[in-house]
mmCIF file of all heavy atoms in Angstrom:
data_model
loop_
_atom_site.group_PDB
_atom_site.id
_atom_site.type_symbol
_atom_site.label_atom_id
_atom_site.label_comp_id
_atom_site.label_asym_id
_atom_site.label_seq_id
_atom_site.Cartn_x
_atom_site.Cartn_y
_atom_site.Cartn_z
ATOM 1 N N GLN S 298 86.179 56.376 -35.773
ATOM 2 C CA GLN S 298 86.583 55.584 -36.932
ATOM 3 C C GLN S 298 87.735 54.645 -36.587
ATOM 4 O O GLN S 298 87.753 53.484 -36.997
ATOM 5 C CB GLN S 298 86.973 56.520 -38.081
ATOM 6 C CG GLN S 298 85.785 57.245 -38.716
ATOM 7 C CD GLN S 298 86.209 58.200 -39.814
ATOM 8 O OE1 GLN S 298 87.407 58.409 -40.004
ATOM 9 N NE2 GLN S 298 85.232 58.770 -40.523
ATOM 10 N N GLN S 299 88.682 55.132 -35.822
ATOM 11 C CA GLN S 299 89.801 54.285 -35.421
ATOM 12 C C GLN S 299 89.325 53.119 -34.554
ATOM 13 O O GLN S 299 89.770 51.977 -34.723
ATOM 14 C CB GLN S 299 90.841 55.126 -34.678
ATOM 15 C CG GLN S 299 91.571 56.132 -35.557
ATOM 16 C CD GLN S 299 92.549 56.989 -34.762
ATOM 17 O OE1 GLN S 299 92.697 56.785 -33.555
ATOM 18 N NE2 GLN S 299 93.220 57.918 -35.446
ATOM 19 N N ALA S 300 88.401 53.403 -33.620
ATOM 20 C CA ALA S 300 87.900 52.334 -32.761
ATOM 21 C C ALA S 300 87.149 51.291 -33.565
ATOM 22 O O ALA S 300 87.302 50.076 -33.352
ATOM 23 C CB ALA S 300 86.985 52.924 -31.674
ATOM 24 N N VAL S 301 86.333 51.739 -34.535
ATOM 25 C CA VAL S 301 85.595 50.792 -35.366
ATOM 26 C C VAL S 301 86.534 49.948 -36.201
ATOM 27 O O VAL S 301 86.359 48.731 -36.366
ATOM 28 C CB VAL S 301 84.584 51.556 -36.245
ATOM 29 C CG1 VAL S 301 83.959 50.626 -37.268
ATOM 30 C CG2 VAL S 301 83.500 52.187 -35.385
ATOM 31 N N SER S 302 87.572 50.576 -36.761
ATOM 32 C CA SER S 302 88.530 49.815 -37.576
ATOM 33 C C SER S 302 89.266 48.783 -36.737
ATOM 34 O O SER S 302 89.506 47.652 -37.174
ATOM 35 C CB SER S 302 89.520 50.784 -38.235
ATOM 36 O OG SER S 302 90.264 51.487 -37.246
ATOM 37 N N LYS S 303 89.613 49.141 -35.474
ATOM 38 C CA LYS S 303 90.276 48.172 -34.604
ATOM 39 C C LYS S 303 89.354 46.992 -34.290
ATOM 40 O O LYS S 303 89.782 45.827 -34.278
ATOM 41 C CB LYS S 303 90.702 48.861 -33.314
ATOM 42 C CG LYS S 303 91.872 49.821 -33.484
ATOM 43 C CD LYS S 303 92.238 50.458 -32.159
ATOM 44 C CE LYS S 303 93.394 51.439 -32.313
ATOM 45 N NZ LYS S 303 93.750 52.077 -31.022
ATOM 46 N N LEU S 304 88.081 47.290 -34.026
ATOM 47 C CA LEU S 304 87.139 46.205 -33.739
ATOM 48 C C LEU S 304 86.950 45.294 -34.942
ATOM 49 O O LEU S 304 86.859 44.065 -34.814
ATOM 50 C CB LEU S 304 85.799 46.800 -33.301
ATOM 51 C CG LEU S 304 85.772 47.469 -31.920
ATOM 52 C CD1 LEU S 304 84.417 48.121 -31.694
ATOM 53 C CD2 LEU S 304 86.049 46.447 -30.833
ATOM 54 N N GLU S 305 86.879 45.885 -36.148
ATOM 55 C CA GLU S 305 86.732 45.057 -37.344
ATOM 56 C C GLU S 305 87.945 44.169 -37.545
ATOM 57 O O GLU S 305 87.825 42.987 -37.890
ATOM 58 C CB GLU S 305 86.527 45.968 -38.555
ATOM 59 C CG GLU S 305 85.159 46.658 -38.562
ATOM 60 C CD GLU S 305 85.008 47.576 -39.757
ATOM 61 O OE1 GLU S 305 86.026 47.774 -40.471
ATOM 62 O OE2 GLU S 305 83.887 48.090 -39.980
ATOM 63 N N ALA S 306 89.155 44.735 -37.332
ATOM 64 C CA ALA S 306 90.370 43.931 -37.487
ATOM 65 C C ALA S 306 90.414 42.794 -36.475
ATOM 66 O O ALA S 306 90.769 41.653 -36.803
ATOM 67 C CB ALA S 306 91.603 44.832 -37.340
ATOM 68 N N ARG S 307 90.010 43.085 -35.244
ATOM 69 C CA ARG S 307 90.019 42.037 -34.200
ATOM 70 C C ARG S 307 89.007 40.946 -34.507
ATOM 71 O O ARG S 307 89.276 39.759 -34.342
ATOM 72 C CB ARG S 307 89.721 42.673 -32.849
ATOM 73 C CG ARG S 307 89.847 41.718 -31.690
ATOM 74 C CD ARG S 307 89.635 42.451 -30.385
ATOM 75 N NE ARG S 307 89.730 41.533 -29.259
ATOM 76 C CZ ARG S 307 89.540 41.878 -27.988
ATOM 77 N NH1 ARG S 307 89.263 43.149 -27.715
ATOM 78 N NH2 ARG S 307 89.640 40.984 -27.032
ATOM 79 N N LEU S 308 87.838 41.360 -35.000
ATOM 80 C CA LEU S 308 86.810 40.385 -35.322
ATOM 81 C C LEU S 308 87.228 39.492 -36.476
ATOM 82 O O LEU S 308 87.028 38.269 -36.449
ATOM 83 C CB LEU S 308 85.509 41.114 -35.666
ATOM 84 C CG LEU S 308 84.297 40.246 -36.000
ATOM 85 C CD1 LEU S 308 83.952 39.344 -34.829
ATOM 86 C CD2 LEU S 308 83.102 41.113 -36.361
ATOM 87 N N SER S 309 87.844 40.096 -37.499
ATOM 88 C CA SER S 309 88.324 39.283 -38.632
ATOM 89 C C SER S 309 89.420 38.331 -38.203
ATOM 90 O O SER S 309 89.481 37.175 -38.651
ATOM 91 C CB SER S 309 88.814 40.218 -39.747
ATOM 92 O OG SER S 309 89.910 41.006 -39.271
ATOM 93 N N ALA S 310 90.293 38.785 -37.282
ATOM 94 C CA ALA S 310 91.353 37.906 -36.797
ATOM 95 C C ALA S 310 90.783 36.725 -36.027
ATOM 96 O O ALA S 310 91.227 35.584 -36.166
ATOM 97 C CB ALA S 310 92.319 38.709 -35.924
ATOM 98 N N LEU S 311 89.753 36.992 -35.220
ATOM 99 C CA LEU S 311 89.123 35.902 -34.474
ATOM 100 C C LEU S 311 88.432 34.915 -35.408
ATOM 101 O O LEU S 311 88.478 33.691 -35.194
ATOM 102 C CB LEU S 311 88.119 36.479 -33.470
ATOM 103 C CG LEU S 311 88.724 37.239 -32.286
ATOM 104 C CD1 LEU S 311 87.616 37.873 -31.454
ATOM 105 C CD2 LEU S 311 89.550 36.299 -31.422
ATOM 106 N N GLU S 312 87.769 35.437 -36.418
ATOM 107 C CA GLU S 312 87.105 34.542 -37.368
ATOM 108 C C GLU S 312 88.100 33.674 -38.139
ATOM 109 O O GLU S 312 87.831 32.512 -38.425
ATOM 110 C CB GLU S 312 86.260 35.370 -38.342
ATOM 111 C CG GLU S 312 85.040 36.007 -37.696
ATOM 112 C CD GLU S 312 84.266 36.863 -38.675
ATOM 113 O OE1 GLU S 312 84.767 37.049 -39.811
ATOM 114 O OE2 GLU S 312 83.161 37.347 -38.306
#
Side-chain angles (χ1 to χ4, degrees):
Q298 289 178 353
Q299 291 177 2
V301 171
S302 62
K303 288 180 181 179
L304 289 175
E305 289 179 352
R307 186 176 179 183
L308 181 60
S309 62
L311 290 174
E312 290 178 353

